[in-house]
Amino acid sequence: MKAIQITHQQELNVIEMEKPQAPGRGEILLKLHYVGFCGSDINTFLGRNTMALNPVIPGHEVGAVIEAVGEDVPNGLKPGMVVTCNPYTNCGKCASCRNQRVNACQHNETLGVQRNGAMKEYIVLPWEKVIPAGLLTPKVCALVEPMSVGFHAVSRAQVTDIDVVMVIGCGMVGMGAVVRAAMRGATVVAADIDDEKLALAKKMGASYVINTKTEDVHQRLLDMTSGFGPDVVIEAVGSVPTYQMAVDEVAFTGRVVCIGYAKSEVSFQTKYFVQKELDIRGSRNAQPSDFRAVIHYLERGTCPTDDLITKVIKPEEALDTMHWWSENPGKVFRILVDFS
């Protein structure tokens, strides 16, 4: 079977591998149809992802069909079903697992990062990690995982309908946060440097948009919020300026939720932590309930999924596409590899 492997910095090959044998006890064999390239994959390709194996088969955003099931797999999982997967592991023993927050397991190994991933024609997974996708197509399934990360951030922020929520960064994860906050009845402000992404954020539920490159962010937020600032700021970029913006602009007694990894140290005016009595919370990966919520949302058919898929490519086009992405980093939502 075909697989995509990142071997060295800016080196990617299509390789041949043995197709997995029949699934073992408690396992499911999946036929991959679409697998998404995400930000961690481009960072691995560019040599910036220090957590990734080298070499590594990337991919953890999955749209698949069950090919076969092993013994002791629940009856609800049958061949022919369209599914996605939970790509994270959890040890069951660390503090996070003990507190039922398995998404933040201290020893997590994500598919395509700390272990070989799903960018291939077939994969075998434990049945517990296979998620039925209801009415979704395999192509749309590949959008579930990144959106679920944004959904989880909104849960971490405890967003309600009386909140003004600012989402900084309108990539796939940020779009998930925009959608989920709007679904909860919040007033959503989407912020980005790309007007096309901001237009799409408005289509997906944002009430207001701010181009942080061309507009006075502080004044716009004061005008929108009667001088208070947003109750919640979700940081979905991972840069020094956006982290600082989140703390500076959030309202007194507000909540800041951090998804993005900043690549360098960030300096803060820590007086704001105290004076504003802020809640600053990390948000990592997603819970099973977040996956179900995204699937439920996508089943409605109201999401402009075609706008979220920048390109669909064949495995042989992956190397050229990754070079193109590295030269156009702000123009990509999701690139799907078609293994169907």
Side-chain angles (χ1 to χ4, degrees):
M1 67 175 182
K2 289 181 182 178
I4 291 173
Q5 185 180 61
I6 298 172
T7 52
H8 298 286
Q9 184 174 333
Q10 298 199 41
E11 290 187 15
L12 178 153
N13 296 304
V14 178
I15 63 173
E16 286 291 330
M17 298 181 65
E18 290 268 341
K19 178 183 173 182
Q21 300 300 312
R25 187 180 298 273
E27 293 181 336
I28 294 179
L29 174 64
L30 301 183
K31 171 68 177 80
L32 282 305
H33 284 230
Y34 294 91
V35 183
F37 272 125
C38 78
S40 64
D41 299 323
I42 188 66
N43 282 325
T44 299
F45 178 73
L46 295 173
R48 300 172 184 166
N49 189 350
T50 57
M51 295 185 294
L53 293 176
N54 185 20
V56 67
I57 295 171
H60 56 258
E61 302 172 359
V62 166
V65 172
I66 294 177
E67 181 92 354
V69 300
E71 295 180 17
D72 297 335
V73 170
N75 290 333
L77 294 166
K78 299 181 181 297
M81 288 182 65
V82 176
V83 296
T84 188
C85 79
N86 182 330
Y88 324 122
T89 63
N90 54 284
C91 69
K93 299 176 182 178
C94 70
S96 300
C97 291
R98 184 177 62 184
N99 291 327
Q100 306 300 311
R101 289 164 66 176
V102 296
N103 57 292
C105 174
Q106 182 178 350
H107 306 292
N108 167 64
E109 294 184 350
T110 300
L111 281 173
V113 185
Q114 296 96 338
R115 58 188 173 128
N116 281 321
M119 200 71 73
K120 50 193 177 185
E121 292 185 84
Y122 294 89
I123 192 170
V124 172
L125 294 174
W127 72 262
E128 295 92 342
K129 298 298 182 181
V130 176
I131 303 171
L135 302 175
L136 302 186
T137 65
K139 189 175 181 181
V140 173
C141 277
L143 305 178
V144 171
E145 191 274 343
M147 292 193 78
S148 73
V149 176
F151 272 46
H152 182 66
V154 172
S155 294
R156 291 284 292 140
Q158 297 175 298
V159 169
T160 72
D161 59 347
I162 62 171
D163 288 322
V164 176
V165 179
M166 180 186 187
V167 179
I168 306 176
C170 295
M172 273 296 299
V173 170
M175 286 298 186
V178 167
V179 167
R180 190 56 163 165
M183 290 174 70
R184 291 191 174 197
T187 300
V188 182
V189 182
D192 202 281
I193 61 173
D194 187 288
D195 286 331
E196 291 180 18
K197 289 184 176 180
L198 291 172
L200 183 54
K202 197 131 193 199
K203 190 186 292 189
M204 297 185 73
S207 299
Y208 303 96
V209 296
I210 302 176
N211 187 314
T212 59
K213 195 173 184 178
T214 62
E215 298 182 72
D216 184 334
V217 176
H218 182 68
Q219 190 58 52
R220 285 288 315 278
L221 288 171
L222 292 181
D223 293 344
M224 294 171 190
T225 62
S226 303
F228 292 109
D231 304 284
V232 173
V233 177
I234 296 174
E235 200 289 332
V237 176
S239 72
V240 173
T242 52
Y243 261 82
Q244 292 170 334
M245 181 188 296
V247 172
D248 290 347
E249 300 300 343
V250 72
F252 274 64
T253 68
R255 289 98 74 197
V256 176
V257 175
C258 307
I259 310 174
Y261 282 88
K263 306 302 184 294
S264 57
E265 292 186 3
V266 185
S267 297
F268 292 103
Q269 291 287 344
T270 55
K271 66 179 182 180
Y272 291 147
F273 296 11
V274 178
Q275 288 179 350
K276 292 185 177 184
E277 198 174 54
L278 297 181
D279 290 335
I280 299 177
R281 306 173 184 180
S283 183
R284 183 182 178 193
N285 299 334
Q287 290 270 24
S289 58
D290 300 308
F291 282 85
R292 293 196 301 271
V294 173
I295 291 168
H296 180 65
Y297 160 67
L298 291 172
E299 281 184 316
R300 298 179 181 181
T302 58
C303 178
T305 53
D306 288 345
D307 294 334
L308 297 174
I309 299 170
T310 306
K311 287 188 176 188
V312 178
I313 64 171
K314 290 294 186 180
E316 293 76 14
E317 301 172 280
L319 178 59
D320 288 343
T321 301
M322 294 297 265
H323 282 303
W324 172 82
W325 188 4
S326 67
E327 294 165 3
N328 299 274
K331 295 299 181 183
V332 172
F333 282 107
R334 270 307 172 268
I335 294 168
L336 303 186
V337 182
D338 182 358
F339 287 96
S340 62

